[in-house]
Amino acid sequence: MNIELENLQSTIKRKYSFKYKPEFSESFKTDIKDNQIIPLTIEVFEKLEWPIVFRDNKSVEAKRKGDWNKLTEKITITKKASGRIEVHSKTIEGNFIDFGKNSKRTGLFIILFQKLAKEYQESGKLSELETEFEKENSWADYEIPSELPKPKEFGKPNLVLSIIGGLIIAILFGILIAFLTTKFTYFIGIYEFAIGIGIGYFFGQVLKKTNYIEFRSIQFIIGGIVIVMFITNLFTQYQLIIAENNISELSFFEFMKLRFEGGLTIKDLNTGWIGLTLSWVFQMVFPYFLAVGKVAGITANYIIEKIPEKVLEYTIYLFEMEKSESEVRAELAQKGWNKKSDQDNVFKAIVEISGFHQMNRE
């Protein structure tokens, strides 16, 4: 934020908010035309360098970046009746107190909006913003393509290869973690984070190769991967320990019994078998959710990448023209996308795009 904006912000009185995720709202009235409110709001956000995450004809949402480009507040501007505008700022993280930061954000937006409204009215730029906004949000200039790129060829989804690939990943990760645990210091949380992201990434690549994107089944497979990895980890630790200590007469089950009896020791505190069990549950559950999240992102991008941009744009245009699903399918069929499976892939890609936009707003 430049010095001028910082000086404007310094004149705003703080109004504290106490809540898990503090928020603050205030409204003001403007005399500019109704159709100019959203275009000017976008201009204000650009001046403030607050990234816009959503906009329509009635509201605009943006997020403010703090230190290290971390998003700290979400600011929502809503156009009300009779020229009234509501400004709402909410802390993204649960801080319980905002020290007046949200009121500073809303106040700064209002001051800058009113300042620009006056300047742009005098210069005629306000009408230019309105025209540009209408042009950007209108399909009037859209040229309907005479033909569309042909559907890409993909192999049939292969569940068996997906499972085999997942098992290989599970075994390799299990061996690696066992080696690191026995040869180096074990850092709870760090290892689990790396495991979850690693499994998610590599299994995501396997799914792209096997063209398998049934997410419900994928979740079960990831659960199996984590369990196999955990068992492989324990068994490999057992093998390394008996090899180093030359105690081959100790069976794996006896080894596990000794682990339970010894429990989990954190510094000088022995938490017993309960602490050990809880740590094992954590070692499986935390990586599982991380892996699921990583795979979800990879497969969603893959679903979108399968469809040419020109086809996505044309399909969105048809829906914007309030065509029904059957009508959209008919239009796609006329331009070479006549297989139902190909059309379904287009619709899935649009759903994923919508999901990414919604996630950006969270």
Side-chain angles (χ1 to χ4, degrees):
M1 191 159 47
N2 61 40
I3 295 175
E4 181 186 359
L5 294 176
E6 288 180 358
N7 290 335
L8 282 175
Q9 186 171 262
S10 66
T11 63
I12 302 165
K13 186 178 179 181
R14 294 178 184 269
K15 297 175 183 177
Y16 294 84
S17 176
F18 301 88
K19 196 178 179 181
Y20 171 60
K21 289 186 177 181
E23 54 189 313
F24 183 82
S25 293
E26 59 181 316
S27 63
F28 68 102
K29 191 172 176 61
T30 181
D31 60 354
I32 67 174
K33 292 196 302 184
D34 186 75
N35 290 341
Q36 295 173 339
I37 292 175
I38 297 300
L40 185 56
T41 296
I42 294 169
E43 181 79 356
V44 173
F45 278 144
E46 289 177 355
K47 295 284 186 184
L48 293 169
E49 298 181 351
W50 295 348
I52 294 171
V53 296
F54 173 79
R55 73 183 195 187
D56 59 18
N57 291 324
K58 291 185 177 180
S59 64
V60 185
E61 296 175 7
K63 291 184 178 180
R64 179 205 174 254
K65 286 184 178 180
D67 298 332
W68 308 101
N69 281 333
K70 189 175 182 181
L71 300 173
T72 56
E73 287 95 19
K74 178 181 177 181
I75 300 90
T76 303
I77 311 303
T78 307
K79 184 170 63 172
K80 301 292 185 179
S82 304
R84 185 155 289 279
I85 301 171
E86 182 182 75
V87 186
H88 177 265
S89 177
K90 183 175 182 178
T91 304
I92 294 174
E93 298 176 336
N95 295 327
F96 292 101
I97 181 172
D98 66 352
F99 298 100
K101 290 181 180 179
N102 284 303
S103 64
K104 285 276 190 179
R105 306 285 167 244
T106 59
L108 179 59
F109 175 88
I110 292 170
I111 289 176
L112 188 55
F113 185 97
Q114 293 173 331
K115 181 175 181 291
L116 292 182
K118 183 179 179 181
E119 291 176 1
Y120 287 10
Q121 273 182 322
E122 293 173 353
S123 65
K125 190 175 180 180
L126 205 51
S127 297
E128 292 177 15
L129 285 178
E130 180 185 0
T131 303
E132 288 175 11
F133 179 76
E134 288 175 352
K135 188 175 180 181
E136 286 177 11
N137 290 272
S138 170
W139 290 91
D141 296 331
Y142 177 71
E143 293 184 9
I144 298 175
S146 57
E147 59 180 5
L148 293 174
K150 293 181 180 180
K152 297 178 183 178
E153 293 293 332
F154 295 93
K156 290 183 178 180
N158 196 319
L159 175 60
V160 174
L161 283 181
S162 299
I163 294 173
I164 292 172
L167 287 174
I168 293 172
I169 291 170
I171 293 169
L172 291 176
F173 265 85
I175 294 171
L176 175 63
I177 296 303
F179 179 80
L180 293 174
T181 301
T182 54
K183 299 297 182 180
F184 302 95
T185 303
Y186 173 74
F187 297 98
I188 189 167
I190 296 176
Y191 276 32
E192 285 73 20
F193 179 82
I195 291 167
I197 297 299
I199 288 176
Y201 173 77
F202 288 110
F203 188 53
Q205 302 310 309
V206 168
L207 294 171
K208 288 170 67 174
K209 295 295 183 182
T210 60
N211 195 32
Y212 192 81
I213 54 174
E214 294 298 325
F215 197 66
R216 184 65 176 169
S217 299
I218 288 171
Q219 289 177 296
F220 284 110
I221 297 172
I222 294 174
I225 290 173
V226 171
I227 292 171
V228 171
M229 180 211 65
F230 179 72
I231 295 171
T232 303
N233 172 25
L234 289 178
F235 187 75
T236 306
Q237 285 187 46
Y238 157 72
Q239 293 287 350
L240 291 172
I241 290 171
I242 63 172
E244 287 181 0
N245 295 280
N246 195 25
I247 47 174
S248 57
E249 67 276 5
L250 182 69
S251 70
F252 178 65
F253 293 103
E254 289 172 331
F255 169 76
M256 291 298 295
K257 184 180 178 182
L258 290 174
R259 290 287 301 270
F260 265 98
E261 290 173 354
L264 175 67
T265 301
I266 302 174
K267 291 186 177 179
D268 297 327
L269 175 65
N270 190 312
T271 60
W273 68 268
I274 295 177
L276 181 63
T277 302
L278 290 175
S279 73
W280 282 352
V281 170
F282 176 75
Q283 287 173 35
M284 289 186 283
V285 173
F286 185 49
Y288 168 79
F289 284 108
L290 286 174
V292 168
K294 185 68 175 177
V295 168
I298 291 172
T299 54
N301 276 312
Y302 175 62
I303 289 169
I304 296 169
E305 290 167 3
K306 289 170 71 174
I307 310 301
E309 186 176 339
K310 195 172 182 180
V311 177
L312 287 174
E313 186 180 37
Y314 178 59
T315 307
I316 292 170
Y317 163 77
L318 293 173
F319 280 119
E320 288 288 332
M321 295 299 105
E322 299 183 352
K323 299 278 188 182
S324 66
E325 182 181 319
S326 59
E327 289 174 321
V328 173
R329 287 184 183 276
E331 293 284 350
L332 289 173
Q334 288 180 6
K335 297 188 183 298
W337 288 69
N338 47 13
K339 288 184 181 179
K340 184 178 182 299
S341 58
D342 290 331
Q343 296 170 2
D344 289 342
N345 286 338
V346 177
F347 296 154
K348 286 178 183 177
I350 291 173
V351 169
E352 295 299 339
I353 292 171
S354 177
F356 277 126
H357 288 165
Q358 185 59 38
M359 187 169 59
N360 246 358
R361 296 176 63 185
E362 297 295 327

